């Protein structure tokens, strides 16, 4: 996506109901009308077939002082659908998924903490991942369900910034914890004799703390940039939570430098962990293939199966949301697609680790018999 500031008087809109703005003069036979003047007009340029340039336009009236934009007190979350008949269905669906997510991840935390055989680095990181998933879903889903029940889509400015910060915090923490878990599997398989020395209690705690503080700095960076933006008096966010990208798109102020910084940090904190995970598994595969015993190979790959499944689910859904948003250019469709990594992935993680891990299944059965 390329952002460019331009004087709005040089642009025209073709067609009465179109949301696409085309450069003047229009193509032969095209109907066009002159747009009114605006003081701050930021447009997103996309390349369409036949090399036509389409501009998505956001209006910020010139007669309102810039100080008034910074005093916006609330936003409006448009949610997933405007259809009143779908609201009860959406409420029941997200309530059930939220309860399954909370109970599943909470069960993993309780099982790991209660079983001494699971007091290992791998399950320590897993319990922290479950805690991050609980925080991730709790930040977004309850607010959406309250909006459906109360028929109110208003969220205060402070609440929106807080929600955006917490979502960014736990999303980044998920990515970093998955990288730490990949490193743990790398040490366990490639350096089994030194595993207990390398992955000691101090290092495990340090890795989790470093991951948390990096995520905290990243979310504070988002909050700082959003606090410096100016908005119209009425801001409608086409999402069910305060997505940072939507806030940057809806701002009236210059966001070009913010976009560059966000993409740069996203590449580091998103691409860096992914490169680390891939590097760990390349070393794991090369080490395992040199082993002659079939049983050892099976055990090595089975211990990595659950983590690899979660990694594919997390990054696969995030990449799918990004590609679908880039192709459709529809914020509402992007909101629907984002349900995959905000709700579905945290819900499925406990099932993946419990069904594909024999130690976890035995510990869960023992825990349930003891509490029954």
């Amino acid at each position: 996506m390329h952002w460019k500031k331009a004087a709005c008087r040089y642009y025209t809109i073709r067609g009465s109901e179109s949301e696409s703005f085309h450069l003047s003069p229009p193509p032969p036979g095209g109907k066009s009308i002159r747009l009114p003047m605006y003081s701050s007009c930021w447009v997103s340029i996309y390349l369409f077939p036949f090399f036509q340039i389409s501009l998505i336009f956001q209006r910020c009236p010139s007669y309102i002082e810039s100080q008034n934009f910074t005093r916006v007190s609330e936003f409006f979350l448009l949610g997933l659908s405007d259809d009143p008949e779908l609201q009860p269905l959406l409420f029941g669906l997200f309530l059930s998924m939220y309860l399954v997510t909370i109970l599943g991840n909470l069960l993993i935390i309780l099982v790991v903490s209660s079983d001494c055989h699971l007091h290992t680095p791998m399950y320590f990181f897993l319990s922290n991942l479950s805690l991050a998933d609980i925080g991730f879903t709790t930040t977004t889903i309850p607010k959406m369900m309250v909006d459906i029940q109360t028929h109110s889509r208003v969220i205060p400015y402070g609440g929106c910034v807080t929600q955006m910060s917490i979502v960014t915090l736990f999303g980044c923490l998920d990515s970093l914890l998955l990288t730490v878990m990949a490193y743990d599997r790398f040490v366990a398989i490639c350096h089994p004799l030194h595993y207990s020395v390398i992955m000691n209690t101090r290092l495990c705690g340090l890795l989790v703390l470093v991951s948390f503080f990096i995520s905290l700095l990243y979310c504070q960076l988002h909050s700082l940039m959003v606090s410096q933006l100016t908005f119209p008096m009425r801001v409608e966010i086409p999402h069910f939570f305060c997505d940072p990208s939507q806030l940057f798109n809806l701002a009236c102020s210059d966001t070009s430098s913010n976009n560059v910084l966000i993409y740069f940090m996203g590449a580091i904190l998103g691409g860096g962990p992914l490169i680390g995970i891939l590097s760990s598994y390349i070393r794991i595969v090369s080490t395992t293939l040199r082993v002659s015993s079939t049983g050892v190979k099976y055990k090595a790959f089975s211990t990595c199966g659950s983590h690899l499944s979660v990694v594919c689910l997390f990054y696969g859904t995030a990449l799918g949301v990004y590609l679908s948003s880039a192709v459709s250019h529809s914020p509402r469709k992007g909101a629907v697609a984002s349900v995959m990594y905000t709700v579905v992935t945290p819900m499925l993680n406990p099932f993946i680790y419990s069904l594909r891990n024999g130690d976890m299944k035995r510990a869960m059965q023992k825990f349930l018999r003891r509490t029954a």
Side-chain angles (χ1 to χ4, degrees), residues 35-225:
L35 288 173
M37 289 290 295
Y38 294 91
S39 61
S40 178
C41 176
W42 286 85
V43 291
S44 176
I45 300 180
Y46 300 94
L47 201 60
F48 274 72
F50 308 106
F51 301 98
Q52 295 181 3
I53 297 179
S54 176
L55 307 173
I56 295 179
F57 181 76
Q58 182 176 333
R59 303 179 177 182
C60 299
S62 58
Y63 57 82
I64 299 180
E65 296 296 331
S66 60
Q67 289 82 358
N68 291 337
F69 287 103
T70 59
R71 303 293 174 84
V72 60
S73 60
E74 60 188 19
F75 296 113
F76 294 87
L77 297 173
L78 299 185
L80 297 176
S81 175
D82 295 325
D83 189 354
E85 296 181 355
L86 287 179
Q87 301 309 310
L89 177 62
L90 290 175
F91 179 83
L93 178 63
F94 279 92
L95 176 61
S96 59
M97 289 193 296
Y98 178 68
L99 291 177
V100 170
T101 302
I102 297 299
L103 293 176
N105 285 284
L106 188 61
L107 180 61
I108 285 184
I109 295 174
L110 293 176
V111 169
V112 170
S113 60
S114 63
D115 195 323
C116 60
H117 296 93
L118 299 182
H119 291 176
T120 62
M122 181 177 71
Y123 295 107
F124 170 71
F125 296 136
L126 175 59
S127 59
N128 281 276
L129 181 66
S130 297
L131 187 61
D133 286 339
I134 291 175
F136 194 49
T137 54
T138 302
T139 308
T140 56
I141 304 305
K143 168 60 179 172
M144 185 185 67
M145 292 190 297
V146 170
D147 290 346
I148 292 175
Q149 285 296 99
T150 60
H151 305 287
S152 173
R153 303 189 177 188
V154 177
I155 181 171
Y157 175 84
C160 184
V161 174
T162 302
Q163 186 186 60
M164 178 206 66
S165 301
I166 298 177
V167 167
T168 306
L169 169 67
F170 286 117
C172 182
L173 185 59
D174 266 359
S175 178
L176 294 176
L177 286 176
L178 289 174
T179 308
V180 170
M181 294 173 73
Y183 175 72
D184 172 71
R185 293 298 84 206
F186 160 73
V187 176
I189 294 175
C190 299
H191 305 282
L193 299 180
H194 302 90
Y195 177 73
S196 58
V197 177
I198 297 175
M199 300 302 296
N200 54 68
T201 304
R202 182 178 179 181
L203 179 62
C204 293
L206 182 63
L207 289 173
V208 172
L209 285 177
V210 169
S211 300
F212 176 78
F213 281 115
I214 291 176
S215 304
L216 185 62
L217 289 175
Y218 186 54
C219 81
Q220 290 302 312
L221 176 64
H222 277 79
S223 300
L224 179 62
M225 287 189 293

Side-chain angles (χ1 to χ4, degrees), residues 230-247:
T230 56
F231 294 95
M233 297 307 295
R234 180 180 176 87
V235 182
E236 294 183 347
I237 303 175
H239 218 295
F240 63 93
F241 68 92
C242 291
D243 185 34
S245 61
Q246 295 295 334
L247 292 178

Side-chain angles (χ1 to χ4, degrees), residues 146-362:
V146 170
D147 290 346
I148 292 175
Q149 285 296 99
T150 60
H151 305 287
S152 173
R153 303 189 177 188
V154 177
I155 181 171
Y157 175 84
C160 184
V161 174
T162 302
Q163 186 186 60
M164 178 206 66
S165 301
I166 298 177
V167 167
T168 306
L169 169 67
F170 286 117
C172 182
L173 185 59
D174 266 359
S175 178
L176 294 176
L177 286 176
L178 289 174
T179 308
V180 170
M181 294 173 73
Y183 175 72
D184 172 71
R185 293 298 84 206
F186 160 73
V187 176
I189 294 175
C190 299
H191 305 282
L193 299 180
H194 302 90
Y195 177 73
S196 58
V197 177
I198 297 175
M199 300 302 296
N200 54 68
T201 304
R202 182 178 179 181
L203 179 62
C204 293
L206 182 63
L207 289 173
V208 172
L209 285 177
V210 169
S211 300
F212 176 78
F213 281 115
I214 291 176
S215 304
L216 185 62
L217 289 175
Y218 186 54
C219 81
Q220 290 302 312
L221 176 64
H222 277 79
S223 300
L224 179 62
M225 287 189 293
V226 170
S227 65
Q228 296 176 346
L229 297 178
T230 56
F231 294 95
M233 297 307 295
R234 180 180 176 87
V235 182
E236 294 183 347
I237 303 175
H239 218 295
F240 63 93
F241 68 92
C242 291
D243 185 34
S245 61
Q246 295 295 334
L247 292 178
F248 288 125
N249 291 345
L250 295 170
C252 292
S253 52
D254 182 357
T255 60
S256 56
S257 58
N258 290 341
N259 287 329
V260 171
L261 183 59
I262 288 297
Y263 289 144
F264 177 74
M265 294 298 296
I268 294 177
L269 296 177
L274 183 59
I275 293 174
I277 293 172
L278 292 177
S279 301
S280 298
Y281 275 104
I282 289 174
R283 294 289 301 275
I284 289 173
V285 171
S286 62
T287 301
T288 306
L289 291 179
R290 290 198 297 264
V291 178
S292 58
S293 174
T294 306
V296 174
K297 290 181 180 179
Y298 175 78
K299 184 177 180 180
F301 286 123
S302 63
T303 57
C304 299
S306 300
H307 176 259
L308 193 58
S309 300
V310 172
V311 168
C312 293
L313 185 63
F314 180 81
Y315 283 99
T317 53
L319 183 61
V321 170
Y322 174 79
L323 293 178
S324 64
S325 300
V327 171
S328 66
H329 304 304
S330 173
R332 185 61 65 87
K333 291 182 179 179
V336 174
S338 66
V339 173
M340 287 299 298
Y341 72 89
T342 57
V343 183
V344 177
T345 300
M347 181 184 68
L348 293 180
N349 285 351
F351 293 98
I352 294 174
Y353 277 103
S354 60
L355 295 177
R356 295 182 59 88
N357 190 303
D359 294 337
M360 182 62 71
K361 284 194 291 187
R362 286 190 291 270

